[in-house]
Amino acid sequence: MTLAPAAPDRSGRGPGDTTGFIPQAAPRLRIGRFGAAVAAAVRQVLESDHYGVGPAVARFERDFASYLGVDHCIGVGSGTDALAIAFRALSLPRGGEILTVAMTASATGSAILLGGHVPRFVDVDPRSRLIDIDRIAASAGPKTVAIVPVHLHGYPVDMPRLMTVADALGLPVIEDCAQAHGARIGGRAVGTFGQAAAFSFYPTKNLGCAGDGGAVTTNDGDVARRARALREHGWGEVRGRSEIAGLNSRLSEIQAAILCVLLPQLDDGNAERRRIAERYRRGLSAATVAGRIGLPPEDDGSVYHQFAIEVDDRDRVREALFAAGVGTAVHYADPLDRQPAFAGFATGPLAGGDALAARLLSLPIQPEVAGPAVDEIIERVVRAVSQG
Ligand SMILES: Cc1ncc(COP(=O)(O)O)c(C=O)c1O
């Protein structure tokens, strides 16, 4: 498979191998690393008569469920759809409030609103950067129907503790695992704790395809059956006969075939991310400007979807790094409560998330990008910070 060069852009994408620019992420390099197997898998689909939901989707669903240790996996069109389908499969009452965080991708909030529910944002703990579990009970009210913890940047939320709180409140939990494929707590994978979970296979994810894809996971057979129906027009046992109103949100055979090739590489890729994170941690904490760089929390269960440092003058540092040939990204500069679609849904002041939003800066961590360049990136980060 030949990979054409592309110019770097402000998003931090671009090759790096032809221009010297180190992109924040380059999904084509991940696909390209396993290019021959990916090409063969795609060719096999193209030569089959199954382009929608077929044998590759069934195989991926089986493999991913077994990888996670969950009873059911249902492949769908995207991570956003996976959340929306999970909400409907759980029959959450319309108009009900769903507790989640504002420090997340807009998809989390969109899926809640599109399902006819109301997001209610709970602040994050600024140290873990994840939902502040101690605030959940006080944020729940008579209209609360569910909790959506987000495993941000690949860090697992403390699910045993969160489930204890949720169970005491009688609330179902839908885990947003879009950034945390393979993240574990005490050896147990995220996506297996709540009543359901949603995964995204967007190309830049730790497990990504070459377009859009997602999955719902659950241990509940009824939820699985409903999710399976919802992804294809609400069809039940009889194809073409809608038992409930559904969507067209299939995981396609081509994407599933690519995911079947990449899934066996996930743990190695996550281990490489952990090693890169460790090198960043060592290099940055030994630097003269170490006091001005906040490091992400240490957690062996994290799969480092992002390695986000904290710096006071984040936008200046980002510009300086771009000028020095290093792409970065910000996850997230605008917490959801500050975006027009989600304004007014905070449960109170979200000071923890606001402080992070002003300071977070995601360095390259994708193994194919950062692996060969981590020392160079550290050097340029130190230089960029010390220029301020
Ligand atoms: C936390 C989070 N939730 C949900 C999604 C939605 O996934 P997708 O882009 O596949 O719809 C994403 C992906 O961007 C995400 O990062």
Side-chain angles (χ1 to χ4, degrees), residues 9-381:
D9 62 33
R10 300 302 268 192
S11 72
R13 298 279 173 80
D17 49 349
T18 53
T19 62
F21 185 87
I22 302 163
Q24 205 273 336
R28 70 191 189 88
L29 298 181
R30 179 106 195 126
I31 295 265
R33 183 168 167 186
F34 308 103
V38 167
V42 168
R43 192 172 319 110
Q44 199 179 347
V45 173
L46 292 176
E47 289 169 359
S48 80
D49 268 328
H50 293 288
Y51 292 173
V53 170
V57 171
R59 180 176 155 206
F60 175 69
E61 290 176 341
R62 249 187 344 261
D63 291 355
F64 196 47
S66 139
Y67 169 83
L68 293 173
V70 72
D71 288 346
H72 307 278
C73 168
I74 301 96
V76 299
S78 70
T80 312
D81 282 1
L83 283 168
I85 287 173
F87 300 153
R88 284 202 50 205
L90 281 160
S91 305
L92 302 183
R94 286 176 82 81
E97 296 181 353
I98 298 183
L99 299 179
T100 190
V101 289
M103 179 47 72
T104 182
S106 52
T108 313
S110 296
I112 292 173
L113 280 180
L114 286 170
H117 304 111
V118 180
R120 299 287 291 160
F121 301 123
V122 179
D123 204 3
V124 294
D125 174 337
R127 280 157 309 170
S128 71
R129 304 171 174 175
L130 306 172
I131 191 165
D132 187 341
I133 297 173
D134 291 334
R135 290 175 190 259
I136 291 178
S139 305
K143 291 190 185 156
T144 310
V145 296
I147 306 171
V148 175
V150 179
H151 304 295
L152 189 78
H153 298 173
Y155 282 84
V157 171
D158 182 347
M159 289 307 295
R161 198 153 81 79
L162 185 137
M163 292 308 295
T164 304
V165 173
D167 290 347
L169 294 166
L171 293 171
V173 171
I174 301 95
E175 296 175 69
D176 185 335
C177 302
Q179 302 187 4
H181 317 71
R184 287 174 190 276
I185 306 141
R188 181 169 165 190
V190 301
T192 66
F193 289 90
Q195 277 69 17
F199 287 85
S200 163
F201 306 121
Y202 186 73
T204 53
K205 303 303 191 207
N206 292 33
L207 178 61
C209 57
D212 280 308
V216 177
T217 57
T218 181
N219 283 316
D220 182 323
D222 289 334
V223 171
R225 227 178 340 274
R226 278 176 62 80
R228 211 169 277 289
L230 285 162
R231 78 164 170 199
E232 270 191 302
H233 311 293
W235 295 342
E237 295 287 300
V238 182
R239 231 183 129 65
R241 185 183 151 94
S242 295
E243 302 292 342
I244 49 176
L247 306 168
N248 174 359
S249 181
R250 302 175 177 111
L251 179 64
S252 76
E253 282 287 282
I254 286 187
Q255 304 305 350
I258 294 172
L259 291 167
C260 284
V261 172
L262 296 183
L263 176 59
Q265 310 299 334
L266 176 59
D267 280 345
D268 282 354
N270 286 344
E272 286 179 279
R273 285 173 184 263
R274 286 193 187 100
R275 284 197 290 274
I276 293 165
E278 198 39 49
R279 286 174 67 193
Y280 272 139
R281 210 178 278 290
R282 255 187 283 124
L284 293 173
S285 56
T288 45
V289 288
R292 291 164 60 190
I293 302 174
L295 294 173
E298 286 194 61
D299 181 340
D300 291 344
S302 172
V303 290
Y304 290 97
H305 175 58
Q306 299 297 345
F307 186 92
I309 59 168
E310 292 174 44
V311 281
D312 280 341
D313 45 356
R314 188 260 319 283
D315 295 341
R316 184 199 61 75
V317 172
R318 189 170 188 219
E319 280 299 318
L321 279 170
F322 185 80
V326 178
T328 58
V330 180
H331 307 95
Y332 294 93
D334 287 314
L336 300 198
D337 60 305
R338 294 174 170 238
Q339 300 183 20
F342 312 112
F345 295 134
T347 52
L350 304 179
D354 287 345
L356 287 170
R359 289 166 51 82
L360 287 176
L361 184 63
S362 302
L363 304 180
I365 183 81
Q366 184 191 325
E368 296 76 23
V369 173
V374 64
D375 293 330
E376 211 174 322
I377 299 169
I378 292 170
E379 209 182 288
R380 293 184 201 180
V381 169

